[in-house]
Amino acid sequence: MNALGRHILAEIYGCDAEILNDRDKIEKIMVEAALHSGAEVREVAFHKFSPLGVSGVVVISESHLTIHTWPELGYAAVDVFTCGDHINPWDACNYLTERLGASHITASEVKRGLFDQPVQVKVSSL
């Protein structure tokens, strides 16, 4: 089977609460994770919630990385989705886990866009 991409769904526990509640630190770590994996960063958008939590996305040429944090629980939900086969999403996920000071992680990988054979699409203009 050929897959268009790989999508890591990570549950990251025991994280540093101060980091999880700091929008600027989370953005920096997420961008660094993307670059660490070899991805090309296109855009970033992050939001700090009141009183606690940060959500954000790093759009990469190869797809995206997202995070949602619960500092009061030391928990972060992370998605790392990469298309093609030259980026390993686990590199970004492992980098994030380390930088968040996590005690443990549970994660699964989903293959996205499964095809038995390469798809050929004919596009015509109207």
Side-chain angles (χ1 to χ4, degrees):
M1 288 255 173
N2 294 319
L4 295 176
R6 300 166 65 190
H7 196 162
I8 307 298
L9 305 172
E11 309 286 317
I12 306 177
Y13 298 96
C15 301
D16 182 311
E18 287 185 29
I19 294 172
L20 292 183
N21 203 40
D22 187 318
R23 182 202 168 281
D24 293 336
K25 284 183 184 175
I26 291 293
E27 180 177 331
K28 182 177 188 292
I29 291 169
M30 291 288 287
V31 168
E32 289 173 349
L35 295 172
H36 179 78
S37 71
E40 181 180 4
V41 175
R42 292 296 186 169
E43 294 185 42
V44 298
F46 285 81
H47 177 78
K48 169 74 172 76
F49 293 97
S50 180
L52 298 169
V54 174
S55 289
V57 61
V58 176
V59 178
I60 58 178
S61 294
E62 301 80 8
S63 195
H64 68 267
L65 291 78
T66 63
I67 190 167
H68 304 282
T69 73
W70 285 261
E72 69 277 21
L73 301 175
Y75 169 75
V78 171
D79 291 0
V80 180
F81 182 16
T82 61
C83 297
D85 57 8
H86 71 283
I87 303 293
N88 184 348
W90 288 105
D91 291 342
C93 191
N94 291 332
Y95 183 90
L96 286 168
T97 301
E98 180 181 316
R99 290 294 310 274
L100 295 175
S103 61
H104 68 283
I105 177 177
T106 60
S108 59
E109 179 175 329
V110 177
K111 303 289 188 211
R112 304 295 302 267
L114 296 174
F115 296 96
D116 289 327
Q117 298 178 20
V119 175
Q120 294 182 355
V121 178
K122 182 177 181 180
V123 179
S124 62
S125 59
L126 297 176

